[in-house]
Amino acid sequence: MIQFGVATHSGYDWAASAMQRAAKLGATVIHHVEREAIFERDAFRCYLCGTDTSKATSPFDPRSATVDHVVPLSRGGEHTLTNLRCCCLHCNSSKRDVVAA
Ligand SMILES: [Zn+2]
């Protein structure tokens, strides 16, 4: 589950599409969460490896900032601020559906 980059062009609404995706995956609780709020709360630090992520890098840079569900939606996780963490692309790509300890 990877959200690429910071799309500021073309009116892409991350929060709205994340909510739609959460609904499709069967999330029981879905809040309107802005990605920027997660990044700022976590100070752009990856909750898995502690890397300082960067929003300025290419979306394909392993250190670029992504948002991850601590408890995956496919395992009953909620799409809420408390279940969302800032995560570097590297960890997000390798984590897949494993529940973080
Ligand atoms: Zn990481």
Side-chain angles (χ1 to χ4, degrees), residues 49-87:
C49 72
T51 289
D52 287 321
T53 65
S54 170
K55 58 180 173 178
T57 58
S58 140
F60 302 104
D61 188 304
R63 286 179 61 193
S64 66
T66 67
V67 170
D68 189 44
H69 292 89
V70 178
V71 180
L73 297 173
S74 59
R75 299 201 180 195
E78 300 176 348
H79 185 74
T80 61
L81 197 53
T82 49
N83 192 39
L84 287 160
R85 293 286 189 282
C86 175
C87 185

Side-chain angles (χ1 to χ4, degrees), residues 45-51 53 62 86-92:
R45 180 158 301 186
C46 173
Y47 82 106
L48 290 174
C49 72
T51 289
T53 65
C86 175
C87 185
C88 74
L89 180 61
H90 172 76
C91 288
N92 203 336

Side-chain angles (χ1 to χ4, degrees), residues 28-48:
T28 49
V29 182
I30 300 175
H31 289 176
H32 185 278
V33 182
E34 292 291 346
R35 185 163 56 175
E36 287 73 18
I38 302 160
F39 291 159
E40 282 173 21
R41 181 202 57 196
D42 295 344
F44 285 89
R45 180 158 301 186
C46 173
Y47 82 106
L48 290 174

